[in-house]
Amino acid sequence: MAPENDIDYSLSRVPDEAKQPFWRILFIRIGAICCVSQLMLGAALGYGLTFWDAFLATMLGSVLLQVVSWALGTAAAREGLSTSLLSRWTGFGKVGSALFGGVVAISMVGWFGVQNAVFGQGMAEIVPFTDFLGTQEILPGIMAGITPEYIFWAIITGLGITLLVVFGIKAIANFATVFVPLFVIVVIVAAAIILQNHSLTELLTTAPPGPALSLGAATTMVAGGFIAGAICTPDYARFLKNGTQAFWMTLIGTFVGELGMNLLAVLLAHAMGTENIVDIMMGTSGIIGVIIVVASTVKLNDINLYSSSLGLATMINALFNKAISRNGLVWALGIVGTLLSVIGIINYFTNFLTLLGVAIPPVAGIMVVDYFILKRSRATLDASRAKGELPEKVEKWNPIAIVCWIAGFAVGEVTSIMNAGIPGLNSLILAGVLYWIVMKVYASMKKVDTVTFTETDQVL
């Protein structure tokens, strides 16, 4: 059984009485997309594309993210299960869910550390108190650039976000309802200050100020920038009441986050003739710059840590048949991520984290095919859902899913090296299609309608 103090149901279904109002989860979704990195993406598009080409690239990339998010979010809302726990009954079995949970846990806590480092650096520049702490680097080499100011801010935000996540999805949602509108407002105010001497017609029709960017490359940037986040949609979509809410959550989040932030940044890039508009916006006003950095980091990083804790909980349970308090996992992961960002080591892991980012999408392709097309565990899930419980049995593992996962990951890596298409999307589609074909062929060879592998009644 799940721990009694597991307020966020990391190893169980979210019961009907724990489902959240639509607007709460919507704010979490918007907050996960509306961030400084989204502005940087939009500025990069505007630097190399006309406004309307940037609009088209954003639409194409967003549609791809919308489909993945909606499919997984619908399954999660219906079943009340997190991404990593849902994977047990959507192709991967108990062992496969452990592998996937581990990848998610490492990837998300890694990005938590990276974002925390960005926050520390930004706040050290915007709110200096040199007389109090000083700006002298502590050590050369791997800790170059690490000042007392940076350490102070990195610790504050790292432990602060960890404490927020401990209180669960309600606390994250409440925080998002304050900081998401605040972030949007200050970004618009900063943009208005910068754009006040430019006409809208001029900005919509002007040529891009930088080297030309192809539409394909731009679409890749849009879709690739949030694909790992899209795949972790079930972690909060499971608190929605149905698939319709999941659809509107992802759609509205896409329009406000992807289209809204991207296109505003495109206009800014055209007005300023540079893609470095984030620094410009932060420099428009001290308090505005502070709010942009704080709001962006907190509302994005809490989801990183939240998904990491859910993935680790699933992995530990699958490997050791033990249910560990999610709060303890959150504190452990938060402290580790904060420590790595404080000493500067986390910045050396970004290539590894990008590698893990390509390993996550293939799982989504397999999960969608298994749940919506093959429907191998749908009857079991439906029967147990009616009783508000998990299924009584689960496959130990599915070798076909694991092989297809590895194949998808390999294709994603090769296409990444070759700069061919969207690596994450390539791996997702390849894994899903390959899984469907192999499972159908295997079922035909076994002369059965549905392929099943060895099951165990040790669900948890």
Side-chain angles (χ1 to χ4, degrees), residues 305-343:
L305 186 57
Y306 186 68
S307 291
S308 180
S309 68
L310 293 175
L312 185 58
T314 301
M315 183 186 74
I316 291 175
N317 170 256
L319 293 178
F320 305 107
N321 294 320
K322 292 184 179 296
I324 297 180
S325 167
R326 190 189 65 87
N327 290 354
L329 297 179
V330 171
W331 277 114
L333 291 167
I335 290 172
V336 168
T338 301
L339 179 62
L340 291 177
S341 64
V342 163
I343 63 180

PDB file of all heavy atoms in Angstrom, residues 305-343:
ATOM      1  N   LEU A 305      10.870  19.100  -9.951  1.00  0.00           N
ATOM      2  CA  LEU A 305      11.103  18.343  -8.729  1.00  0.00           C
ATOM      3  C   LEU A 305       9.937  17.400  -8.435  1.00  0.00           C
ATOM      4  O   LEU A 305      10.136  16.272  -7.977  1.00  0.00           O
ATOM      5  CB  LEU A 305      11.319  19.301  -7.557  1.00  0.00           C
ATOM      6  CG  LEU A 305      11.714  18.667  -6.213  1.00  0.00           C
ATOM      7  CD1 LEU A 305      12.982  17.836  -6.348  1.00  0.00           C
ATOM      8  CD2 LEU A 305      11.899  19.752  -5.147  1.00  0.00           C
ATOM      9  N   TYR A 306       8.734  17.848  -8.710  1.00  0.00           N
ATOM     10  CA  TYR A 306       7.542  17.032  -8.467  1.00  0.00           C
ATOM     11  C   TYR A 306       7.573  15.759  -9.314  1.00  0.00           C
ATOM     12  O   TYR A 306       7.392  14.645  -8.807  1.00  0.00           O
ATOM     13  CB  TYR A 306       6.300  17.856  -8.798  1.00  0.00           C
ATOM     14  CG  TYR A 306       4.985  17.197  -8.462  1.00  0.00           C
ATOM     15  CD1 TYR A 306       4.613  16.982  -7.135  1.00  0.00           C
ATOM     16  CD2 TYR A 306       4.107  16.801  -9.465  1.00  0.00           C
ATOM     17  CE1 TYR A 306       3.400  16.387  -6.824  1.00  0.00           C
ATOM     18  CE2 TYR A 306       2.894  16.211  -9.154  1.00  0.00           C
ATOM     19  CZ  TYR A 306       2.539  16.013  -7.836  1.00  0.00           C
ATOM     20  OH  TYR A 306       1.347  15.422  -7.528  1.00  0.00           O
ATOM     21  N   SER A 307       7.839  15.904 -10.603  1.00  0.00           N
ATOM     22  CA  SER A 307       7.899  14.745 -11.494  1.00  0.00           C
ATOM     23  C   SER A 307       9.056  13.831 -11.118  1.00  0.00           C
ATOM     24  O   SER A 307       8.944  12.603 -11.203  1.00  0.00           O
ATOM     25  CB  SER A 307       8.051  15.192 -12.952  1.00  0.00           C
ATOM     26  OG  SER A 307       6.877  15.822 -13.412  1.00  0.00           O
ATOM     27  N   SER A 308      10.174  14.413 -10.699  1.00  0.00           N
ATOM     28  CA  SER A 308      11.320  13.611 -10.288  1.00  0.00           C
ATOM     29  C   SER A 308      10.968  12.731  -9.093  1.00  0.00           C
ATOM     30  O   SER A 308      11.315  11.547  -9.048  1.00  0.00           O
ATOM     31  CB  SER A 308      12.501  14.529  -9.933  1.00  0.00           C
ATOM     32  OG  SER A 308      13.613  13.770  -9.526  1.00  0.00           O
ATOM     33  N   SER A 309      10.250  13.298  -8.118  1.00  0.00           N
ATOM     34  CA  SER A 309       9.887  12.519  -6.924  1.00  0.00           C
ATOM     35  C   SER A 309       8.926  11.394  -7.257  1.00  0.00           C
ATOM     36  O   SER A 309       9.021  10.286  -6.698  1.00  0.00           O
ATOM     37  CB  SER A 309       9.272  13.438  -5.862  1.00  0.00           C
ATOM     38  OG  SER A 309       8.013  13.945  -6.269  1.00  0.00           O
ATOM     39  N   LEU A 310       8.002  11.634  -8.188  1.00  0.00           N
ATOM     40  CA  LEU A 310       7.062  10.586  -8.587  1.00  0.00           C
ATOM     41  C   LEU A 310       7.791   9.459  -9.321  1.00  0.00           C
ATOM     42  O   LEU A 310       7.502   8.276  -9.116  1.00  0.00           O
ATOM     43  CB  LEU A 310       5.968  11.173  -9.489  1.00  0.00           C
ATOM     44  CG  LEU A 310       5.010  12.168  -8.830  1.00  0.00           C
ATOM     45  CD1 LEU A 310       4.067  12.762  -9.870  1.00  0.00           C
ATOM     46  CD2 LEU A 310       4.208  11.510  -7.716  1.00  0.00           C
ATOM     47  N   GLY A 311       8.732   9.826 -10.182  1.00  0.00           N
ATOM     48  CA  GLY A 311       9.504   8.813 -10.899  1.00  0.00           C
ATOM     49  C   GLY A 311      10.343   7.969  -9.962  1.00  0.00           C
ATOM     50  O   GLY A 311      10.410   6.738 -10.099  1.00  0.00           O
ATOM     51  N   LEU A 312      10.970   8.608  -8.975  1.00  0.00           N
ATOM     52  CA  LEU A 312      11.806   7.873  -8.023  1.00  0.00           C
ATOM     53  C   LEU A 312      10.958   6.967  -7.138  1.00  0.00           C
ATOM     54  O   LEU A 312      11.361   5.840  -6.819  1.00  0.00           O
ATOM     55  CB  LEU A 312      12.605   8.849  -7.165  1.00  0.00           C
ATOM     56  CG  LEU A 312      13.624   8.224  -6.202  1.00  0.00           C
ATOM     57  CD1 LEU A 312      14.637   7.379  -6.960  1.00  0.00           C
ATOM     58  CD2 LEU A 312      14.337   9.313  -5.393  1.00  0.00           C
ATOM     59  N   ALA A 313       9.786   7.448  -6.751  1.00  0.00           N
ATOM     60  CA  ALA A 313       8.890   6.628  -5.930  1.00  0.00           C
ATOM     61  C   ALA A 313       8.499   5.355  -6.669  1.00  0.00           C
ATOM     62  O   ALA A 313       8.476   4.257  -6.092  1.00  0.00           O
ATOM     63  CB  ALA A 313       7.645   7.425  -5.555  1.00  0.00           C
ATOM     64  N   THR A 314       8.203   5.481  -7.956  1.00  0.00           N
ATOM     65  CA  THR A 314       7.837   4.322  -8.769  1.00  0.00           C
ATOM     66  C   THR A 314       9.007   3.370  -8.921  1.00  0.00           C
ATOM     67  O   THR A 314       8.845   2.149  -8.826  1.00  0.00           O
ATOM     68  CB  THR A 314       7.364   4.781 -10.164  1.00  0.00           C
ATOM     69  OG1 THR A 314       6.242   5.647 -10.012  1.00  0.00           O
ATOM     70  CG2 THR A 314       6.946   3.603 -11.021  1.00  0.00           C
ATOM     71  N   MET A 315      10.189   3.909  -9.151  1.00  0.00           N
ATOM     72  CA  MET A 315      11.363   3.070  -9.338  1.00  0.00           C
ATOM     73  C   MET A 315      11.681   2.267  -8.071  1.00  0.00           C
ATOM     74  O   MET A 315      11.896   1.043  -8.134  1.00  0.00           O
ATOM     75  CB  MET A 315      12.577   3.922  -9.714  1.00  0.00           C
ATOM     76  CG  MET A 315      13.829   3.093  -9.995  1.00  0.00           C
ATOM     77  SD  MET A 315      15.315   4.088 -10.258  1.00  0.00           S
ATOM     78  CE  MET A 315      15.657   4.606  -8.573  1.00  0.00           C
ATOM     79  N   ILE A 316      11.699   2.928  -6.928  1.00  0.00           N
ATOM     80  CA  ILE A 316      12.017   2.243  -5.671  1.00  0.00           C
ATOM     81  C   ILE A 316      10.979   1.168  -5.368  1.00  0.00           C
ATOM     82  O   ILE A 316      11.311   0.057  -4.949  1.00  0.00           O
ATOM     83  CB  ILE A 316      12.100   3.261  -4.519  1.00  0.00           C
ATOM     84  CG1 ILE A 316      13.334   4.148  -4.704  1.00  0.00           C
ATOM     85  CG2 ILE A 316      12.156   2.544  -3.166  1.00  0.00           C
ATOM     86  CD1 ILE A 316      13.446   5.257  -3.688  1.00  0.00           C
ATOM     87  N   ASN A 317       9.709   1.497  -5.601  1.00  0.00           N
ATOM     88  CA  ASN A 317       8.654   0.514  -5.348  1.00  0.00           C
ATOM     89  C   ASN A 317       8.798  -0.708  -6.247  1.00  0.00           C
ATOM     90  O   ASN A 317       8.658  -1.851  -5.804  1.00  0.00           O
ATOM     91  CB  ASN A 317       7.288   1.159  -5.549  1.00  0.00           C
ATOM     92  CG  ASN A 317       6.165   0.158  -5.531  1.00  0.00           C
ATOM     93  OD1 ASN A 317       5.617  -0.182  -6.577  1.00  0.00           O
ATOM     94  ND2 ASN A 317       5.838  -0.355  -4.356  1.00  0.00           N
ATOM     95  N   ALA A 318       9.084  -0.471  -7.526  1.00  0.00           N
ATOM     96  CA  ALA A 318       9.198  -1.582  -8.470  1.00  0.00           C
ATOM     97  C   ALA A 318      10.394  -2.476  -8.156  1.00  0.00           C
ATOM     98  O   ALA A 318      10.315  -3.695  -8.292  1.00  0.00           O
ATOM     99  CB  ALA A 318       9.301  -1.046  -9.894  1.00  0.00           C
ATOM    100  N   LEU A 319      11.490  -1.877  -7.711  1.00  0.00           N
ATOM    101  CA  LEU A 319      12.706  -2.650  -7.467  1.00  0.00           C
ATOM    102  C   LEU A 319      12.687  -3.367  -6.122  1.00  0.00           C
ATOM    103  O   LEU A 319      13.202  -4.478  -5.988  1.00  0.00           O
ATOM    104  CB  LEU A 319      13.928  -1.728  -7.541  1.00  0.00           C
ATOM    105  CG  LEU A 319      14.246  -1.128  -8.918  1.00  0.00           C
ATOM    106  CD1 LEU A 319      15.450  -0.208  -8.815  1.00  0.00           C
ATOM    107  CD2 LEU A 319      14.499  -2.220  -9.951  1.00  0.00           C
ATOM    108  N   PHE A 320      12.093  -2.725  -5.119  1.00  0.00           N
ATOM    109  CA  PHE A 320      12.194  -3.272  -3.755  1.00  0.00           C
ATOM    110  C   PHE A 320      10.839  -3.606  -3.120  1.00  0.00           C
ATOM    111  O   PHE A 320      10.789  -4.015  -1.961  1.00  0.00           O
ATOM    112  CB  PHE A 320      12.943  -2.276  -2.859  1.00  0.00           C
ATOM    113  CG  PHE A 320      14.296  -1.893  -3.391  1.00  0.00           C
ATOM    114  CD1 PHE A 320      14.504  -0.632  -3.943  1.00  0.00           C
ATOM    115  CD2 PHE A 320      15.357  -2.787  -3.374  1.00  0.00           C
ATOM    116  CE1 PHE A 320      15.743  -0.263  -4.444  1.00  0.00           C
ATOM    117  CE2 PHE A 320      16.596  -2.432  -3.875  1.00  0.00           C
ATOM    118  CZ  PHE A 320      16.797  -1.166  -4.416  1.00  0.00           C
ATOM    119  N   ASN A 321       9.748  -3.401  -3.886  1.00  0.00           N
ATOM    120  CA  ASN A 321       8.397  -3.669  -3.364  1.00  0.00           C
ATOM    121  C   ASN A 321       8.127  -2.919  -2.063  1.00  0.00           C
ATOM    122  O   ASN A 321       7.480  -3.426  -1.155  1.00  0.00           O
ATOM    123  CB  ASN A 321       8.187  -5.169  -3.143  1.00  0.00           C
ATOM    124  CG  ASN A 321       8.189  -5.952  -4.437  1.00  0.00           C
ATOM    125  OD1 ASN A 321       7.631  -5.503  -5.435  1.00  0.00           O
ATOM    126  ND2 ASN A 321       8.836  -7.109  -4.437  1.00  0.00           N
ATOM    127  N   LYS A 322       8.646  -1.703  -1.995  1.00  0.00           N
ATOM    128  CA  LYS A 322       8.434  -0.867  -0.820  1.00  0.00           C
ATOM    129  C   LYS A 322       7.844   0.472  -1.240  1.00  0.00           C
ATOM    130  O   LYS A 322       8.170   0.990  -2.302  1.00  0.00           O
ATOM    131  CB  LYS A 322       9.748  -0.634  -0.067  1.00  0.00           C
ATOM    132  CG  LYS A 322      10.309  -1.893   0.588  1.00  0.00           C
ATOM    133  CD  LYS A 322      11.546  -1.571   1.402  1.00  0.00           C
ATOM    134  CE  LYS A 322      12.103  -2.816   2.077  1.00  0.00           C
ATOM    135  NZ  LYS A 322      11.162  -3.387   3.059  1.00  0.00           N
ATOM    136  N   ALA A 323       6.964   0.981  -0.392  1.00  0.00           N
ATOM    137  CA  ALA A 323       6.366   2.289  -0.627  1.00  0.00           C
ATOM    138  C   ALA A 323       7.008   3.288   0.318  1.00  0.00           C
ATOM    139  O   ALA A 323       6.842   3.198   1.538  1.00  0.00           O
ATOM    140  CB  ALA A 323       4.857   2.237  -0.401  1.00  0.00           C
ATOM    141  N   ILE A 324       7.783   4.209  -0.213  1.00  0.00           N
ATOM    142  CA  ILE A 324       8.495   5.195   0.599  1.00  0.00           C
ATOM    143  C   ILE A 324       7.770   6.532   0.522  1.00  0.00           C
ATOM    144  O   ILE A 324       7.246   6.915  -0.526  1.00  0.00           O
ATOM    145  CB  ILE A 324       9.943   5.349   0.109  1.00  0.00           C
ATOM    146  CG1 ILE A 324      10.691   4.017   0.288  1.00  0.00           C
ATOM    147  CG2 ILE A 324      10.666   6.452   0.862  1.00  0.00           C
ATOM    148  CD1 ILE A 324      12.120   4.066  -0.173  1.00  0.00           C
ATOM    149  N   SER A 325       7.732   7.225   1.636  1.00  0.00           N
ATOM    150  CA  SER A 325       7.067   8.525   1.701  1.00  0.00           C
ATOM    151  C   SER A 325       7.585   9.457   0.608  1.00  0.00           C
ATOM    152  O   SER A 325       8.796   9.641   0.463  1.00  0.00           O
ATOM    153  CB  SER A 325       7.304   9.165   3.072  1.00  0.00           C
ATOM    154  OG  SER A 325       6.922  10.525   3.063  1.00  0.00           O
ATOM    155  N   ARG A 326       6.668  10.046  -0.162  1.00  0.00           N
ATOM    156  CA  ARG A 326       7.066  10.970  -1.214  1.00  0.00           C
ATOM    157  C   ARG A 326       7.752  12.191  -0.630  1.00  0.00           C
ATOM    158  O   ARG A 326       8.671  12.758  -1.233  1.00  0.00           O
ATOM    159  CB  ARG A 326       5.833  11.403  -2.020  1.00  0.00           C
ATOM    160  CG  ARG A 326       6.163  12.179  -3.300  1.00  0.00           C
ATOM    161  CD  ARG A 326       4.916  12.755  -3.930  1.00  0.00           C
ATOM    162  NE  ARG A 326       4.324  13.756  -3.063  1.00  0.00           N
ATOM    163  CZ  ARG A 326       4.679  15.045  -3.071  1.00  0.00           C
ATOM    164  NH1 ARG A 326       5.614  15.469  -3.890  1.00  0.00           N
ATOM    165  NH2 ARG A 326       4.103  15.905  -2.261  1.00  0.00           N
ATOM    166  N   ASN A 327       7.347  12.621   0.563  1.00  0.00           N
ATOM    167  CA  ASN A 327       7.962  13.796   1.185  1.00  0.00           C
ATOM    168  C   ASN A 327       9.457  13.588   1.400  1.00  0.00           C
ATOM    169  O   ASN A 327      10.272  14.484   1.163  1.00  0.00           O
ATOM    170  CB  ASN A 327       7.287  14.101   2.520  1.00  0.00           C
ATOM    171  CG  ASN A 327       5.873  14.627   2.346  1.00  0.00           C
ATOM    172  OD1 ASN A 327       5.434  14.862   1.220  1.00  0.00           O
ATOM    173  ND2 ASN A 327       5.159  14.797   3.443  1.00  0.00           N
ATOM    174  N   GLY A 328       9.818  12.397   1.866  1.00  0.00           N
ATOM    175  CA  GLY A 328      11.229  12.103   2.071  1.00  0.00           C
ATOM    176  C   GLY A 328      12.002  12.133   0.772  1.00  0.00           C
ATOM    177  O   GLY A 328      13.140  12.630   0.716  1.00  0.00           O
ATOM    178  N   LEU A 329      11.381  11.611  -0.294  1.00  0.00           N
ATOM    179  CA  LEU A 329      12.032  11.622  -1.601  1.00  0.00           C
ATOM    180  C   LEU A 329      12.196  13.045  -2.116  1.00  0.00           C
ATOM    181  O   LEU A 329      13.223  13.393  -2.711  1.00  0.00           O
ATOM    182  CB  LEU A 329      11.218  10.790  -2.595  1.00  0.00           C
ATOM    183  CG  LEU A 329      11.079   9.300  -2.276  1.00  0.00           C
ATOM    184  CD1 LEU A 329      10.218   8.616  -3.326  1.00  0.00           C
ATOM    185  CD2 LEU A 329      12.449   8.630  -2.212  1.00  0.00           C
ATOM    186  N   VAL A 330      11.180  13.878  -1.907  1.00  0.00           N
ATOM    187  CA  VAL A 330      11.251  15.273  -2.349  1.00  0.00           C
ATOM    188  C   VAL A 330      12.405  15.994  -1.657  1.00  0.00           C
ATOM    189  O   VAL A 330      13.198  16.695  -2.298  1.00  0.00           O
ATOM    190  CB  VAL A 330       9.919  16.007  -2.076  1.00  0.00           C
ATOM    191  CG1 VAL A 330      10.076  17.513  -2.327  1.00  0.00           C
ATOM    192  CG2 VAL A 330       8.810  15.462  -2.960  1.00  0.00           C
ATOM    193  N   TRP A 331      12.518  15.816  -0.337  1.00  0.00           N
ATOM    194  CA  TRP A 331      13.606  16.470   0.394  1.00  0.00           C
ATOM    195  C   TRP A 331      14.970  15.982  -0.088  1.00  0.00           C
ATOM    196  O   TRP A 331      15.898  16.782  -0.287  1.00  0.00           O
ATOM    197  CB  TRP A 331      13.467  16.220   1.892  1.00  0.00           C
ATOM    198  CG  TRP A 331      12.521  17.155   2.574  1.00  0.00           C
ATOM    199  CD1 TRP A 331      11.332  16.852   3.172  1.00  0.00           C
ATOM    200  CD2 TRP A 331      12.680  18.580   2.718  1.00  0.00           C
ATOM    201  NE1 TRP A 331      10.749  17.981   3.681  1.00  0.00           N
ATOM    202  CE2 TRP A 331      11.557  19.056   3.418  1.00  0.00           C
ATOM    203  CE3 TRP A 331      13.674  19.480   2.334  1.00  0.00           C
ATOM    204  CZ2 TRP A 331      11.381  20.403   3.734  1.00  0.00           C
ATOM    205  CZ3 TRP A 331      13.503  20.833   2.638  1.00  0.00           C
ATOM    206  CH2 TRP A 331      12.380  21.278   3.333  1.00  0.00           C
ATOM    207  N   ALA A 332      15.097  14.677  -0.281  1.00  0.00           N
ATOM    208  CA  ALA A 332      16.379  14.126  -0.731  1.00  0.00           C
ATOM    209  C   ALA A 332      16.758  14.669  -2.103  1.00  0.00           C
ATOM    210  O   ALA A 332      17.893  15.126  -2.319  1.00  0.00           O
ATOM    211  CB  ALA A 332      16.294  12.600  -0.766  1.00  0.00           C
ATOM    212  N   LEU A 333      15.812  14.635  -3.037  1.00  0.00           N
ATOM    213  CA  LEU A 333      16.086  15.110  -4.393  1.00  0.00           C
ATOM    214  C   LEU A 333      16.328  16.612  -4.411  1.00  0.00           C
ATOM    215  O   LEU A 333      17.224  17.107  -5.111  1.00  0.00           O
ATOM    216  CB  LEU A 333      14.914  14.760  -5.319  1.00  0.00           C
ATOM    217  CG  LEU A 333      14.733  13.277  -5.632  1.00  0.00           C
ATOM    218  CD1 LEU A 333      13.377  13.021  -6.286  1.00  0.00           C
ATOM    219  CD2 LEU A 333      15.850  12.763  -6.523  1.00  0.00           C
ATOM    220  N   GLY A 334      15.534  17.362  -3.648  1.00  0.00           N
ATOM    221  CA  GLY A 334      15.696  18.810  -3.610  1.00  0.00           C
ATOM    222  C   GLY A 334      17.041  19.225  -3.055  1.00  0.00           C
ATOM    223  O   GLY A 334      17.691  20.141  -3.573  1.00  0.00           O
ATOM    224  N   ILE A 335      17.476  18.552  -1.995  1.00  0.00           N
ATOM    225  CA  ILE A 335      18.772  18.883  -1.391  1.00  0.00           C
ATOM    226  C   ILE A 335      19.915  18.526  -2.347  1.00  0.00           C
ATOM    227  O   ILE A 335      20.873  19.297  -2.505  1.00  0.00           O
ATOM    228  CB  ILE A 335      18.935  18.154  -0.045  1.00  0.00           C
ATOM    229  CG1 ILE A 335      17.966  18.758   0.983  1.00  0.00           C
ATOM    230  CG2 ILE A 335      20.367  18.243   0.455  1.00  0.00           C
ATOM    231  CD1 ILE A 335      17.897  18.004   2.286  1.00  0.00           C
ATOM    232  N   VAL A 336      19.817  17.368  -2.999  1.00  0.00           N
ATOM    233  CA  VAL A 336      20.858  16.963  -3.952  1.00  0.00           C
ATOM    234  C   VAL A 336      20.930  17.952  -5.115  1.00  0.00           C
ATOM    235  O   VAL A 336      22.022  18.414  -5.501  1.00  0.00           O
ATOM    236  CB  VAL A 336      20.597  15.538  -4.479  1.00  0.00           C
ATOM    237  CG1 VAL A 336      21.498  15.234  -5.678  1.00  0.00           C
ATOM    238  CG2 VAL A 336      20.834  14.514  -3.382  1.00  0.00           C
ATOM    239  N   GLY A 337      19.761  18.287  -5.697  1.00  0.00           N
ATOM    240  CA  GLY A 337      19.736  19.227  -6.816  1.00  0.00           C
ATOM    241  C   GLY A 337      20.273  20.593  -6.426  1.00  0.00           C
ATOM    242  O   GLY A 337      21.026  21.228  -7.175  1.00  0.00           O
ATOM    243  N   THR A 338      19.892  21.049  -5.235  1.00  0.00           N
ATOM    244  CA  THR A 338      20.374  22.347  -4.749  1.00  0.00           C
ATOM    245  C   THR A 338      21.880  22.328  -4.532  1.00  0.00           C
ATOM    246  O   THR A 338      22.599  23.258  -4.927  1.00  0.00           O
ATOM    247  CB  THR A 338      19.670  22.715  -3.428  1.00  0.00           C
ATOM    248  OG1 THR A 338      18.251  22.778  -3.641  1.00  0.00           O
ATOM    249  CG2 THR A 338      20.160  24.059  -2.915  1.00  0.00           C
ATOM    250  N   LEU A 339      22.377  21.273  -3.911  1.00  0.00           N
ATOM    251  CA  LEU A 339      23.814  21.153  -3.644  1.00  0.00           C
ATOM    252  C   LEU A 339      24.622  21.163  -4.938  1.00  0.00           C
ATOM    253  O   LEU A 339      25.639  21.857  -5.056  1.00  0.00           O
ATOM    254  CB  LEU A 339      24.092  19.878  -2.848  1.00  0.00           C
ATOM    255  CG  LEU A 339      25.565  19.595  -2.513  1.00  0.00           C
ATOM    256  CD1 LEU A 339      26.120  20.705  -1.630  1.00  0.00           C
ATOM    257  CD2 LEU A 339      25.715  18.244  -1.829  1.00  0.00           C
ATOM    258  N   LEU A 340      24.155  20.395  -5.928  1.00  0.00           N
ATOM    259  CA  LEU A 340      24.876  20.337  -7.203  1.00  0.00           C
ATOM    260  C   LEU A 340      24.896  21.699  -7.896  1.00  0.00           C
ATOM    261  O   LEU A 340      25.881  22.074  -8.527  1.00  0.00           O
ATOM    262  CB  LEU A 340      24.245  19.288  -8.118  1.00  0.00           C
ATOM    263  CG  LEU A 340      24.412  17.827  -7.689  1.00  0.00           C
ATOM    264  CD1 LEU A 340      23.675  16.906  -8.643  1.00  0.00           C
ATOM    265  CD2 LEU A 340      25.885  17.449  -7.626  1.00  0.00           C
ATOM    266  N   SER A 341      23.793  22.438  -7.785  1.00  0.00           N
ATOM    267  CA  SER A 341      23.769  23.765  -8.410  1.00  0.00           C
ATOM    268  C   SER A 341      24.633  24.749  -7.638  1.00  0.00           C
ATOM    269  O   SER A 341      25.295  25.611  -8.227  1.00  0.00           O
ATOM    270  CB  SER A 341      22.326  24.280  -8.493  1.00  0.00           C
ATOM    271  OG  SER A 341      21.763  24.471  -7.207  1.00  0.00           O
ATOM    272  N   VAL A 342      24.655  24.627  -6.311  1.00  0.00           N
ATOM    273  CA  VAL A 342      25.445  25.542  -5.481  1.00  0.00           C
ATOM    274  C   VAL A 342      26.932  25.434  -5.787  1.00  0.00           C
ATOM    275  O   VAL A 342      27.640  26.443  -5.885  1.00  0.00           O
ATOM    276  CB  VAL A 342      25.186  25.259  -3.982  1.00  0.00           C
ATOM    277  CG1 VAL A 342      26.286  25.881  -3.109  1.00  0.00           C
ATOM    278  CG2 VAL A 342      23.834  25.817  -3.575  1.00  0.00           C
ATOM    279  N   ILE A 343      27.429  24.216  -5.962  1.00  0.00           N
ATOM    280  CA  ILE A 343      28.871  24.056  -6.202  1.00  0.00           C
ATOM    281  C   ILE A 343      29.234  24.102  -7.677  1.00  0.00           C
ATOM    282  O   ILE A 343      30.388  23.976  -8.051  1.00  0.00           O
ATOM    283  CB  ILE A 343      29.397  22.747  -5.570  1.00  0.00           C
ATOM    284  CG1 ILE A 343      28.732  21.525  -6.205  1.00  0.00           C
ATOM    285  CG2 ILE A 343      29.185  22.756  -4.071  1.00  0.00           C
ATOM    286  CD1 ILE A 343      29.216  20.202  -5.623  1.00  0.00           C
TER     287      ILE A 343
END
